[in-house]
Amino acid sequence: MLTEKQLISKIQELRQIKPSQNWVSFTKSQILGEDEKRSFTPFWNYNFGGFRLKFAMASIMTLALMLGSFGILERSLPGDVLYSVRSAFHKAQTVLIPEQEKPAYQLKLANDRLDDLAKAPAKNLAPTIIEFQANISEAAKELTKMDATTSNPVMIRKIVDANKKINENKLKVESLGFLIGAEKETAEWNTALGKVVGDVIKDLEGSTLSDGKQEVLAEMKKLFEEGKYSESLEYYLINQ
Amino acid sequence: MANQKKEFGKIYDKYIEKIYRFIFVRVSSEDIAQDICSETFLRGWESFKTQKIDNPQAFLYRIARNLVIDHYREKGRTKIISAEYASIPDPRAGFEEKIAFDSDLNQVKAALSKLSDDYQTVVVLRYLEDLPIAEIAKALDKTEDATRVTLHRALKALKNEVNRTA
């Protein structure tokens, strides 16, 4: 005859029942992941109180196409009269970029400046470098506002790719004999990128992970500790 | 939406094992437990997106409980027949340990499956999941006093059932 106490302790032994970790993480990604695909809205379709950004974008794109068809702005290089107009046009476009895309967009602008320098190194060097530094600094600021754990992976991918391209372009320009500098801005950027990777790692540590994902996390942490933030993020994206 | 998703992800991580266990002890197989458990969290997530859920734990238990009831109702199964056959995954390696583990726990599980839905719920939530009476009352939509009475009767019924089959 079992006593009540013995019975309760037997019931408590049923705590050993646990679902498989692979099933747990797979189900989580099915429930939350599929919904993400269903509800994803391209930024140009966002609705602001009845005013569709799509409409505004269409007008701006028409204008940009008109100017682009003559190549007036995009062909201008540092030192040209229209170069400042081109830079101003790019800056103005920033307003229309959704928050989560801003870091990647600022990096793209920084890359454009490096491309400009590679094409016309002798012309108007100083203002272009200053602009490049400003773009990196702005990208770092935008990145600190970003929550990578809830961001669209496509955005993170763009940041990683743009970061890679900047490093390549910097080497290209420096091989032409120009010192880009931007140590302070690069440090700001690295700090911001490190925070993003740290947040992703923390988020993964607090989640239920399959064996495969746990290995990814371990490798990410290793790269993070070595200060290879971009590589750590890239590893995460490749193995998602 | 992104923040909601993150928040629900945390709720999922916190309660998945408990909800799974709550379902598993009441159904006939791991597959059915997984199906009902996924459906519980899917419904939980759909509701979470559109309304404020003050007590996610009680809310999820309520969904799971209703889905288990629906499962038996739809399939015309009785708990007495099906749940007895659900064997418990055995974490032990030794043969002797395995035998003892199987017979003890499957005996409790089989006895549990012969109780009414209310009795099963209250026993599992109180003694398996260590939930306070107030929480169980919320999950069952009962008063705390009524929950205490149900728990007392449920434990007595379970004890009788285990001793009868021992």
Side-chain angles (χ1 to χ4, degrees), chain B residues 9-42:
Chain B
K10 284 181 181 158
I11 291 172
Y12 178 94
D13 290 338
K14 192 170 175 187
Y15 298 116
I16 183 72
E17 280 191 9
K18 287 176 172 220
I19 299 291
Y20 175 83
R21 200 157 39 222
F22 175 75
I23 297 165
F24 182 84
V25 294
R26 308 171 75 186
V27 297
S28 57
S29 76
E30 203 177 338
D31 287 345
I32 296 171
Q34 288 181 349
D35 285 350
I36 296 178
C37 194
S38 328
E39 186 63 25
T40 300
F41 279 92
L42 187 63

Side-chain angles (χ1 to χ4, degrees), chain B residues 20 47 51 64 85 90 96 101 104 115 148 158-159 166:
Chain B
Y20 175 83
S47 304
Q51 56 181 286
Y85 293 106
D90 184 1
E96 277 179 70
F101 176 83
D104 273 8
L115 304 184
R148 261 187 218 100
L158 182 64
K159 196 174 130 190

Side-chain angles (χ1 to χ4, degrees), chain B residues 5-138:
Chain B
K5 196 175 280 191
K6 195 175 174 186
E7 217 178 304
F8 192 79
K10 284 181 181 158
I11 291 172
Y12 178 94
D13 290 338
K14 192 170 175 187
Y15 298 116
I16 183 72
E17 280 191 9
K18 287 176 172 220
I19 299 291
Y20 175 83
R21 200 157 39 222
F22 175 75
I23 297 165
F24 182 84
V25 294
R26 308 171 75 186
V27 297
S28 57
S29 76
E30 203 177 338
D31 287 345
I32 296 171
Q34 288 181 349
D35 285 350
I36 296 178
C37 194
S38 328
E39 186 63 25
T40 300
F41 279 92
L42 187 63
R43 289 193 188 188
W45 170 228
E46 293 297 335
S47 304
F48 189 82
K49 284 189 290 188
T50 54
Q51 56 181 286
K52 192 175 179 290
I53 313 277
D54 293 326
N55 188 335
Q57 177 171 246
F59 186 67
L60 289 168
Y61 274 125
R62 248 196 323 264
I63 299 174
R65 185 177 172 224
N66 289 334
L67 286 173
V68 171
I69 293 170
D70 288 350
H71 166 72
Y72 285 111
R73 196 179 286 154
E74 280 166 22
K75 305 287 173 190
R77 299 178 188 119
T78 68
K79 283 176 276 183
I80 296 166
I81 294 167
S82 56
E84 273 186 286
Y85 293 106
S87 58
I88 295 163
D90 184 1
R92 299 164 196 227
F95 182 71
E96 277 179 70
E97 269 189 318
K98 184 176 163 30
I99 298 285
F101 176 83
D102 277 353
S103 65
D104 273 8
L105 296 193
N106 282 324
Q107 186 193 11
V108 174
K109 190 173 184 288
L112 250 178
S113 73
K114 291 179 180 171
L115 304 184
S116 70
D117 174 67
D118 261 13
Y119 281 8
Q120 282 186 36
T121 304
V122 84
V123 165
V124 171
L125 294 186
R126 181 73 187 115
Y127 298 115
L128 191 57
E129 303 304 344
D130 262 344
L131 250 61
I133 295 290
E135 281 287 306
I136 302 169
K138 277 178 202 160

